[in-house]
């Protein structure tokens, strides 16, 4: 035993060493593995850090962040940031792109020069432009993965005056416009009066609704109301119920619920008990239909905490009020009842059918009339009659009609949306042709005419646009340039300083200086130069048109100087070359136009989460050669159009 024990000790000793060495080896191996993994992670981190930063990140680091540190950090730095907003914490471009809401608000403050606040150091006009341009491009260029998917919320949508008129026309065949006596609709997101958030209901409007309901039923074609007639006393109630059920379903733009029908028929029964004749009792009940919220409002009913695809009846209403500013017709109702509007082939066919329908002119009247602001010719624009005696109500009407007919033609004929900037035809009647110097046009009817040169063609050279961007006594290169920046490119300039000198309302030479020379002298001031350098050249290119859009070659005996240089450096002389220079910026126009028509289609202002939809629409539009039909189709197939967000 001792021997074996003694013999065993060296063995045990060797085993301990072995174990020690084995353990050490394992430790070393583990350390090696750890070092290897750490090294790999470090190498990965080092590789990531060594990747060259994007050009946008470099520009941010070198040109943009220093401006934010200098002009924003005092109020929005890391120490007690005002309103809890720390702007200087953003060091990565992707972080800015991810927080679209914050930075689009900041962009608005930068553009309108309301930030920094008074009393604080302000960036120069060039620095402000640099910030605004960089932010615009960076936010618009954000990857879709950085933006939460959200179709947006649309409040319960009151019918606008145009929608009300068109709806009662299609409901009862009333060729009369009762809503013209209603209070004006408010202008909302993107400048359109169909924005649901601004469609309030003042008390006087309810009074007008009640009055209009009775007048509509009195004016209707009786066959449109009384779709059945009772033959016996017993069948009077059945006939009344059938009329109410059909008319309420059409007016509510969905099948009326049995309980709703019961309540309305109850009003008929009350009138009958009072001894009213059948027709008057039915009209009494239908009057309740016309003042019902289900008729006056377009509501998408459902749980407010869920995002969901729209139902067929909801889709039918969205589509019809977008393209027709009116209720769905029988074909749409039938397809909705069969749940066929989610069939892509059927849906696209309906879109094309509706574009070709005469009722689609409402899109041009409402959307184009507001986008181009030509509707303002009826309300806020009045050229001086002594200076412009040719401006008459008939000429004003023709100016508005030119814009409407032209836009309607672009949509119906599936033309390129770029023809809105430059085209080889327009629409005129005798009054407008006389202003344009065109021969051979007689009568008040608007007709399509070819254009021999680039003096006309596109919305920019339309008399209506040129008139509303002029002062009563003279043209305004500033107003015209501002209009182009806002409505064509979507890049509005900031408002003028609080105290700024104004020029004479007369454009005749003064003090040996032409009006253009006086304007150039005015914009040489540092506080004015930045904005005017962007606006004025665009307006100068339109100086061949007087205050109501008539062509001229002289101003008070001096030759017109219609030359200019765009912010891109492109030089031009006259409207023809100006339009060519503007087409070089067609992507800016297409994006802005897309945003406007999508906002109109949705009935709300756009939000940062709508950026992916805007990008998809513009991408498809460019890929398909800018055809207007592609734009309409992409809008109505977009996620925000097809879905309803939570909270709506």
């Amino acid at each position: 035993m001792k021997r074996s024990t003694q013999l065993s000790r060296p063995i045990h000793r060797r085993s301990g060493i072995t174990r020690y060495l084995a353990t050490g080896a394992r430790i070393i191996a583990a350390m090696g593995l750890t070092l290897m993994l750490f090294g790999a992670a470090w190498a990965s981190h080092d590789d990531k850090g060594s990747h060259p930063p994007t050009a946008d990140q470099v520009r941010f680091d070198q040109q943009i962040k220093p401006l934010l540190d200098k002009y924003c950090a005092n109020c929005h730095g890391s120490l007690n940031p005002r309103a809890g907003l720390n702007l200087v914490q953003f060091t990565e471009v992707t972080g800015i792109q991810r927080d679209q809401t914050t930075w689009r608000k900041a962009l608005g403050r930068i553009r309108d020069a309301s930030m920094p606040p008074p009393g604080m150091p302000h960036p120069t006009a060039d620095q402000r432009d640099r910030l605004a341009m960089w932010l615009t491009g960076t936010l618009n260029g954000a990857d879709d993965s950085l933006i939460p998917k959200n179709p947006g919320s649309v409040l319960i949508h009151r019918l606008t005056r145009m929608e009300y008129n068109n709806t009662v026309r299609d409901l009862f065949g009333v060729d009369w416009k009762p809503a013209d006596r209603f209070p004006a609709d408010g202008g909302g997101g993107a400048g359109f009066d169909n924005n649901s958030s601004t469609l309030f209901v003042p008390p006087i409007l309810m009074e007008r609704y009640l009055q209009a309901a009775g007048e509509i039923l009195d004016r209707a074609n009786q066959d449109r109301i009384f779709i059945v007639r009772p033959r016996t006393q017993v069948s009077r109630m059945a006939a009344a119920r059938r009329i109410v059920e059909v008319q309420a379903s059409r007016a509510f733009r969905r099948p009326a619920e049995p309980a709703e029908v019961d309540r309305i028929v109850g009003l008929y029964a009350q009138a009958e008990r009072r001894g009213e004749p059948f027709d008057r009792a039915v009209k009494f009940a239908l009057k309740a239909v016309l003042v019902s919220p289900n008729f006056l409002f377009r509501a998408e009913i459902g749980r407010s905490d869920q995002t969901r695809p729209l139902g067929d009846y909801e889709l039918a209403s969205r589509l019809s009020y977008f393209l027709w500013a009116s209720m769905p017709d029988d074909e749409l109702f039938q397809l909705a009842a069969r749940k066929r509007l989610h069939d892509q082939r059927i849906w696209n066919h309906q879109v094309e059918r509706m574009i070709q329908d005469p009722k689609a002119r409402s899109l041009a009247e409402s959307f184009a009339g507001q986008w181009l602001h030509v509707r303002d010719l009826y309300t806020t624009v009045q050229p001086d009659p002594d200076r412009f005696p040719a401006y008459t109500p008939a000429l004003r009407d023709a100016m508005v009609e030119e814009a409407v007919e032209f836009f309607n033609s672009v949509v119906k004929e599936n033309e390129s949306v770029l023809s809105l900037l430059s085209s080889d035809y327009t629409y005129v009647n005798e009054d407008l042709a006389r202003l344009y110097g065109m021969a051979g046009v007689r009568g008040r009817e608007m007709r399509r005419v070819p254009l021999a040169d680039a003096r006309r063609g596109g919305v920019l050279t339309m008399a209506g646009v040129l008139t509303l961007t002029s002062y009563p006594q003279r043209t305004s290169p500033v107003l015209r340039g501002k209009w182009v920046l806002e409505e064509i490119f979507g890049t509005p300039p900031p408002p003028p300083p609080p105290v700024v000198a104004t020029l004479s309302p007369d454009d005749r030479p003064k003090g040996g200086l032409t009006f253009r020379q006086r304007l150039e002298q005015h914009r040489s001031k540092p506080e004015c130069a930045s904005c005017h350098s962007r606006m004025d050249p665009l307006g100068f290119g339109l100086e061949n048109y007087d205050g109501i859009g008539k062509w001229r070659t002289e101003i008070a005996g001096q030759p017109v100087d219609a030359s200019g240089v765009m912010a891109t450096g492109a030089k031009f002389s006259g409207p023809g070359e100006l339009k060519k220079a503007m087409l070089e910026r067609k992507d800016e126009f297409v994006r802005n136009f897309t945003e406007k028509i999508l906002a109109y289609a949705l009935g709300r202002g756009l939000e940062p989460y709508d950026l992916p939809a805007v990008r998809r629409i513009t991408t498809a539009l460019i890929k398909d050669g800018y055809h207007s039909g592609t734009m309409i189709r992409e809008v109505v197939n977009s996620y925000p159009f097809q879905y309803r967000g939570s909270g709506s």
Side-chain angles (χ1 to χ4, degrees):
M1 286 291 296
K2 287 183 179 179
R3 185 179 177 187
S4 75
T5 302
Q6 289 175 344
L7 290 174
S8 67
R9 285 178 181 172
I11 296 175
H12 291 163
R13 208 164 25 243
R14 286 195 297 268
S15 297
I17 293 173
T18 302
R19 286 197 300 271
Y20 176 81
L21 292 176
T23 301
R26 286 196 297 271
I27 292 173
I28 292 173
M31 289 178 63
L33 178 61
T34 301
L35 289 172
M36 183 176 69
L37 293 174
F38 181 80
W42 179 261
S44 174
H45 174 79
D46 187 58
D47 286 344
K48 183 179 180 181
S50 66
H51 285 168
T54 64
D56 214 22
Q57 183 68 45
V58 170
R59 190 177 177 197
F60 173 74
D61 293 337
Q62 297 179 357
Q63 300 180 25
I64 304 303
K65 194 164 193 315
L67 295 178
L68 297 175
D69 292 339
K70 183 175 181 179
Y71 297 109
C72 302
N74 285 331
C75 297
H76 300 290
S78 56
L79 297 177
N80 298 319
R82 203 171 278 186
L85 178 59
N86 180 357
L87 293 181
V88 298
Q89 68 177 324
F90 291 86
T91 59
E92 301 289 333
V93 171
T94 53
I96 291 174
Q97 292 175 323
R98 190 173 282 111
D99 195 348
Q100 293 266 333
T101 301
T102 294
W103 283 98
R104 287 189 183 275
K105 288 181 180 178
L107 175 59
R109 301 293 186 272
I110 291 169
R111 278 179 171 166
D112 64 18
S114 63
M115 187 180 78
M120 302 296 291
H122 275 245
T124 65
D126 286 341
Q127 290 173 328
R128 191 178 294 278
D129 277 350
R130 192 188 314 159
L131 277 169
M133 292 178 66
W134 183 86
L135 266 178
T136 299
T138 297
L139 294 173
N140 289 343
D143 188 84
D144 288 358
S145 63
L146 300 175
I147 301 172
K149 192 172 184 179
N150 187 347
S153 300
V154 179
L155 300 176
I156 294 177
H157 186 124
R158 173 174 67 77
L159 297 182
T160 66
R161 295 197 300 176
M162 173 179 277
E163 290 170 345
Y164 185 98
N165 285 336
N166 290 351
T167 301
V168 297
R169 175 201 66 198
D170 295 338
L171 184 61
F172 290 129
V174 176
D175 191 15
W176 173 59
K177 298 182 178 180
D180 288 358
R181 299 181 299 180
F182 295 175
D185 299 315
F192 300 112
D193 61 12
N194 71 341
N195 185 305
S196 59
S197 63
T198 64
L199 290 170
F200 308 113
V201 185
I204 191 175
L205 184 55
M206 290 307 303
E207 297 178 13
R208 299 290 168 84
Y209 282 150
L210 283 167
Q211 180 182 358
E215 294 179 351
I216 290 166
L217 292 168
D218 288 340
R219 289 170 178 260
N221 183 333
Q222 297 304 296
D223 292 340
R224 296 289 290 269
I225 296 178
F226 299 100
I227 56 175
V228 295
R229 285 284 182 180
R231 295 187 178 183
T232 66
Q233 182 69 24
V234 176
S235 67
R236 286 165 62 93
M237 180 62 74
R241 173 172 287 278
R242 178 58 180 161
I243 292 171
V244 167
E245 185 177 40
V246 170
Q247 301 295 8
S249 295
R250 296 184 69 239
F252 297 169
R253 300 168 286 272
R254 58 166 175 78
E257 299 289 340
E260 294 172 325
V261 175
D262 289 343
R263 286 193 294 270
I264 299 168
V265 172
L267 295 174
Y268 163 81
Q270 291 178 19
E272 188 179 51
R273 285 194 295 269
R274 292 197 305 266
E276 296 284 359
F278 177 78
D279 286 12
R280 289 181 61 85
V282 168
K283 286 185 177 181
F284 178 72
L286 292 181
K287 189 173 181 180
V289 171
L290 293 181
V291 296
S292 167
N294 294 300
F295 170 69
L296 299 173
F297 294 84
R298 290 195 289 127
E300 295 162 358
I301 307 300
R303 289 182 56 180
S304 62
D305 60 343
Q306 290 183 340
T307 293
R308 64 170 177 83
L310 292 177
D312 285 74
Y313 285 104
E314 295 167 329
L315 271 179
S317 282
R318 274 206 183 183
L319 184 61
S320 65
Y321 280 97
F322 170 38
L323 296 179
W324 290 347
S326 185
M327 62 183 286
D329 63 358
D330 289 342
E331 185 168 337
L332 275 177
F333 276 138
Q334 291 167 7
L335 288 170
R338 293 159 52 199
K339 301 185 183 301
R340 300 298 303 278
L341 289 181
H342 286 89
D343 183 310
Q344 194 67 50
R345 183 184 61 81
I346 292 175
W347 175 254
N348 288 337
H349 172 73
Q350 289 300 307
V351 173
E352 180 59 29
R353 175 184 73 86
M354 295 171 70
I355 288 174
Q356 297 304 321
D357 191 283
K359 289 189 287 189
R361 192 176 189 276
S362 292
L363 177 64
E365 292 175 351
S366 185
F367 171 74
Q370 294 183 81
W371 165 46
L372 301 175
H373 296 279
V374 292
R375 296 204 315 193
D376 294 349
L377 293 172
Y378 290 118
T379 55
T380 60
V381 177
Q382 181 55 57
D384 186 331
D386 295 328
R387 192 72 186 273
F388 302 106
Y391 187 80
T392 63
L395 179 61
R396 176 203 61 199
D397 293 346
M399 290 179 176
V400 176
E401 286 298 301
E402 178 186 21
V404 171
E405 291 290 348
F406 177 70
F407 186 89
N408 191 45
S409 174
V410 170
V411 172
K412 279 189 177 298
E413 299 182 22
N414 194 25
E415 294 184 17
S416 167
V417 297
L418 299 182
S419 63
L420 295 167
L421 296 184
S422 182
S423 69
D424 59 1
Y425 73 94
T426 191
Y427 283 80
V428 299
N429 64 3
E430 183 174 352
D431 294 297
L432 197 55
R434 187 182 306 115
L435 182 76
Y436 288 173
M438 297 176 178
V441 178
R442 296 288 183 268
R444 301 191 64 180
E445 181 184 354
M446 301 296 292
R447 70 215 65 180
R448 179 168 172 158
V449 295
L451 298 171
D453 55 46
R455 291 184 181 182
R456 306 289 171 182
V459 299
L460 199 64
T461 57
M462 289 182 176
V465 171
L466 295 164
T467 299
L468 66 89
T469 54
S470 297
Y471 287 119
Q473 294 181 316
R474 65 165 171 84
T475 61
S476 173
V478 177
L479 290 181
R480 288 177 175 176
K482 180 175 180 288
W483 186 91
V484 171
L485 290 178
E486 289 180 337
E487 307 306 332
I488 300 299
F489 296 129
T491 55
V499 180
V500 62
T502 57
L503 296 175
S504 166
D506 196 341
D507 58 4
R508 286 173 289 199
K510 285 189 178 181
L513 298 176
T514 65
F515 179 78
R516 173 166 181 158
Q517 289 169 334
R518 283 184 282 140
L519 182 56
E520 289 176 337
Q521 189 179 65
H522 169 81
R523 70 188 181 102
S524 65
K525 300 175 182 178
E527 66 271 22
C528 304
S530 176
C531 293
H532 280 280
S533 65
R534 294 170 56 205
M535 293 187 295
D536 296 0
L538 298 169
F540 287 146
L542 300 171
E543 274 292 86
N544 279 116
Y545 306 100
D546 70 7
I548 60 172
K550 184 178 182 179
W551 184 264
R552 62 184 179 180
T553 57
E554 294 182 348
I555 301 177
Q558 298 291 324
V560 169
D561 183 357
S563 62
V565 181
M566 298 189 75
T568 59
K571 296 181 179 181
F572 60 86
S573 180
E577 292 183 8
L578 171 61
K579 287 187 284 186
K580 289 181 180 178
M582 289 175 62
L583 285 171
E584 293 297 318
R585 300 172 61 181
K586 59 180 176 291
D587 288 350
E588 291 179 70
F589 164 69
V590 167
R591 181 186 183 83
N592 178 58
F593 186 71
T594 298
E595 290 177 350
K596 288 184 177 295
I597 201 165
L598 180 60
Y600 176 83
L602 297 176
R604 64 170 174 82
L606 297 192
E607 300 293 343
Y609 47 70
D610 294 311
L611 177 61
V614 172
R615 190 153 43 213
R616 289 190 184 99
I617 295 168
T618 54
T619 299
L621 185 64
I622 294 170
K623 183 178 180 180
D624 195 40
Y626 302 95
H627 288 113
S628 61
T630 301
M631 167 162 282
I632 299 294
R633 187 168 57 252
E634 290 296 322
V635 165
V636 301
N637 281 297
S638 68
Y639 180 63
F641 192 92
Q642 293 269 329
Y643 279 73
R644 169 187 177 275
S646 60
S648 57

